[in-house]
Amino acid sequence: MARKKQEDVPKGSPAWMNTFSDLMNLLLCFFVLLFSMSTVDAEKFEKIIASFQNTFSILPSGGASIGEGELVSSGVSQLEMLDSYYKEQANSQSEEEQETESEIAESYKEQALEESEEMAEAIEQAIARYGIQNQVEVDFDAQYVLLNMNGALLFDSGKSEIRQEAYPLIDKIGKLLEPYQQNIIEVEGHTDNVPIHSSKYEDNNVLSFYRARAVSDYLRGITTIEPSHIKSAGRGEYVPIADNSTPEGRARNRRVVIKIYNSYSSQLQ
């Protein structure tokens, strides 16, 4: 009679041992992790953070920080000095722009002053040729060349009509202005501070304007300069060049000034 076949018996450890082993491994990893976190070298950690701050300008995955506080982006803490870095960069750029603008403005002013100086030299030479150097003073700045004429040479006291004796002088001034067809030319009238008593002119300011207008109109008639390039202004007693307390000072303040603006200041369309 055949021997009865024995039932198969499972070999190896029981099934519950596998679960127990996995649990022990997980506990071991957990305690190792806790131990490693409790022994972080603070000095080395700060060096790592400083290295990140010097290397990156933004955080990964679009993280950013503005102002104070802590922000985490993709597991990375904010760079503590990031906002300060951006501010320093912006201030540095602003200072550079200001320096550039200042340099451009200074260069512009130097070129304008150089042009005015060349104009003044040419006008002084022409004045000498016409023999009126004792009647016209020349000065200049970065905007214009200035021709200063004593008012007593052009007008009688308290009047705005040009004296007959003054026409030859203004004719020569007109010839001086002819080369400057593309420049603004401004005629200014000035007075002293002695109040005027006249039924025709309300005050010194009005008188100074009428005198400037009289010279402007005459120049428009004797030159080929575009009439719109010649303008007039009454400055009254408000821009003295001498002391109004003396007769000599008041005589100097009673004057007509012609300003020939350089190309930098004319601003013609």
Side-chain angles (χ1 to χ4, degrees):
M1 184 176 181
R3 185 180 298 177
K4 185 179 181 180
K5 185 177 180 181
Q6 295 181 355
E7 297 180 358
D8 294 335
V9 179
K11 297 181 179 181
S13 302
W16 64 269
M17 290 293 293
N18 294 330
T19 302
F20 182 78
S21 299
D22 291 339
L23 178 61
M24 292 299 103
N25 288 332
L26 288 174
L27 288 173
L28 176 62
C29 292
F30 176 72
F31 285 110
V32 168
L33 180 61
L34 289 178
F35 177 77
S36 63
M37 292 177 65
S38 65
T39 58
V40 172
D41 190 326
E43 183 178 354
K44 290 183 179 180
F45 184 74
E46 290 179 359
K47 290 182 179 179
I48 292 173
I49 294 299
S51 176
F52 273 106
Q53 289 176 343
N54 295 330
T55 304
F56 299 103
S57 58
I58 59 173
L59 293 174
S61 301
S65 67
I66 299 177
E68 298 179 355
E70 184 170 344
L71 174 68
V72 176
S73 175
S74 298
V76 181
S77 296
Q78 77 169 31
L79 307 183
E80 298 174 359
M81 303 303 293
L82 184 60
D83 56 329
S84 299
Y85 171 78
Y86 278 125
K87 290 177 181 179
E88 291 176 0
Q89 291 295 318
N91 292 336
S92 176
Q93 184 176 2
S94 177
E95 291 176 358
E96 291 177 357
E97 291 177 352
Q98 291 177 359
E99 291 177 358
T100 301
E101 291 176 358
S102 177
E103 291 175 358
I104 293 174
E106 186 66 26
S107 176
Y108 182 91
K109 184 177 180 179
E110 290 178 358
Q111 294 177 25
L113 185 62
E114 183 178 352
E115 180 179 322
S116 292
E117 184 176 8
E118 293 175 357
M119 291 169 55
E121 291 176 355
I123 289 173
E124 285 179 336
Q125 293 174 3
I127 287 175
R129 289 198 305 271
Y130 292 132
I132 56 175
Q133 60 269 22
N134 294 328
Q135 298 169 292
V136 182
E137 298 177 0
V138 180
D139 199 0
F140 68 92
D141 62 16
Q143 290 185 295
Y144 51 73
V145 176
L146 181 148
L147 308 181
N148 184 32
M149 295 175 287
N150 192 314
L153 298 173
L154 306 179
F155 304 98
D156 292 327
S157 177
K159 296 183 179 181
S160 63
E161 294 79 14
I162 300 174
R163 300 174 65 224
Q164 290 295 325
E165 297 84 351
Y167 284 118
L169 172 61
I170 303 179
D171 289 340
K172 293 174 181 178
I173 295 296
K175 294 179 181 179
L176 294 176
L177 300 177
E178 284 284 358
Y180 304 101
Q181 299 281 336
Q182 301 302 316
N183 299 70
I184 288 293
I185 297 171
E186 183 175 19
V187 181
E188 291 183 351
H190 298 262
T191 67
D192 57 27
N193 66 345
V194 178
I196 187 173
H197 301 284
S198 171
S199 59
K200 187 175 182 180
Y201 307 109
E202 182 179 345
D203 52 29
N204 281 324
N205 199 41
V206 175
L207 174 62
S208 67
F209 170 73
Y210 274 95
R211 287 180 171 180
R213 194 182 73 169
V215 174
S216 299
D217 290 343
Y218 186 75
L219 289 174
R220 291 188 183 99
I222 65 172
T223 66
T224 60
I225 299 173
E226 172 65 34
S228 63
H229 294 181
I230 301 175
K231 61 181 182 178
S232 54
R235 307 300 300 274
E237 63 194 66
Y238 304 113
V239 192
I241 59 173
D243 188 358
N244 273 312
S245 63
T246 65
E248 296 78 9
R250 290 193 295 272
R252 281 185 54 78
N253 290 332
R254 296 190 295 269
R255 67 197 189 279
V256 172
V257 169
I258 298 178
K259 295 178 178 178
I260 310 167
Y261 286 84
N262 59 37
S263 63
Y264 292 87
S265 302
S266 291
Q267 297 180 349
L268 294 174
Q269 294 182 353

